[in-house]
Amino acid sequence: MPGQLVFDCPECSVEVFVDAGIRERILDDGCVLCASPVGTDAFDSHPKES
């Protein structure tokens, strides 16, 4: 999906597609599931291969 990023929490391993606005919110507030602080390296423009 254009404009979408993959957020992959290093703590709880949740993986979700997000847009730029949600990315900024996660960077400010932490993971949407476990609330752990995350950095920009938790976001990628391509999903991981299973």
Side-chain angles (χ1 to χ4, degrees):
M1 287 184 232
Q4 294 281 307
L5 298 166
V6 178
F7 167 64
D8 184 16
C9 179
E11 289 295 318
C12 71
S13 300
V14 68
E15 189 173 297
V16 294
F17 286 97
V18 298
D19 63 20
I22 298 299
R23 176 186 179 271
E24 293 303 314
R25 184 119 187 220
I26 291 172
L27 288 171
D28 289 343
D29 298 339
C31 174
V32 296
L33 187 62
C34 71
S36 294
V38 297
T40 57
D41 58 336
F43 299 89
D44 196 347
S45 57
H46 304 287
K48 292 180 181 174
E49 295 294 322
S50 298

